[in-house]
């Protein structure tokens, strides 16, 4: 269980570091990525981006 926590933490750190680069490529602005404001706070739900990045990760894992 501890190993999975480390893997998830490292994946989140990596994704957070790559976010500006991915936004320049258009991720986060795809149809299906939702941004909305509620009570002055902005929320972001990247459904389409998550699906695409998941498919890319699965393809890389298949070839490795």
């Amino acid at each position: 269980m501890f190993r999975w926590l480390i893997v998830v933490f490292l994946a989140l750190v990596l994704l957070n570091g790559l976010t500006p680069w991915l936004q320049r490529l258009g991720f986060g602005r795809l149809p299906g990525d939702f941004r909305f404001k509620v009570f002055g706070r902005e929320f972001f739900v990247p459904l389409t981006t998550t699906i695409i990045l998941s498919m890319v990760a699965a393809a890389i894992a298949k070839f490795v």
Side-chain angles (χ1 to χ4, degrees), residues 4 7 12-13 15-16 22 34 40 43 48 55-57 60 63:
W4 280 109
V7 168
L12 288 174
V13 168
L15 186 62
N16 190 27
L22 289 171
F34 302 106
F43 294 96
T48 305
M55 289 174 23
V56 168
I60 290 171
F63 290 118

Side-chain angles (χ1 to χ4, degrees), residues 10-25:
L10 291 175
L12 288 174
V13 168
L14 180 67
L15 186 62
N16 190 27
L18 293 176
T19 299
W21 182 70
L22 289 171
Q23 285 180 346
R24 277 189 262 142
L25 291 175

Side-chain angles (χ1 to χ4, degrees), residues 6 10 12 15 17 26 30 32 34-35 37 39 43 46-47 50-51 53 57 62:
I6 292 173
L10 291 175
L12 288 174
L15 186 62
L30 298 171
F34 302 106
R35 288 182 187 263
K37 278 191 169 183
F39 302 115
F43 294 96
L47 294 176
T50 303
I51 292 169
L53 290 177
K62 184 176 181 178

Side-chain angles (χ1 to χ4, degrees), residues 26-41:
F27 288 102
R29 292 178 286 159
L30 298 171
D33 292 341
F34 302 106
R35 288 182 187 263
F36 52 94
K37 278 191 169 183
V38 177
F39 302 115
R41 296 191 68 180

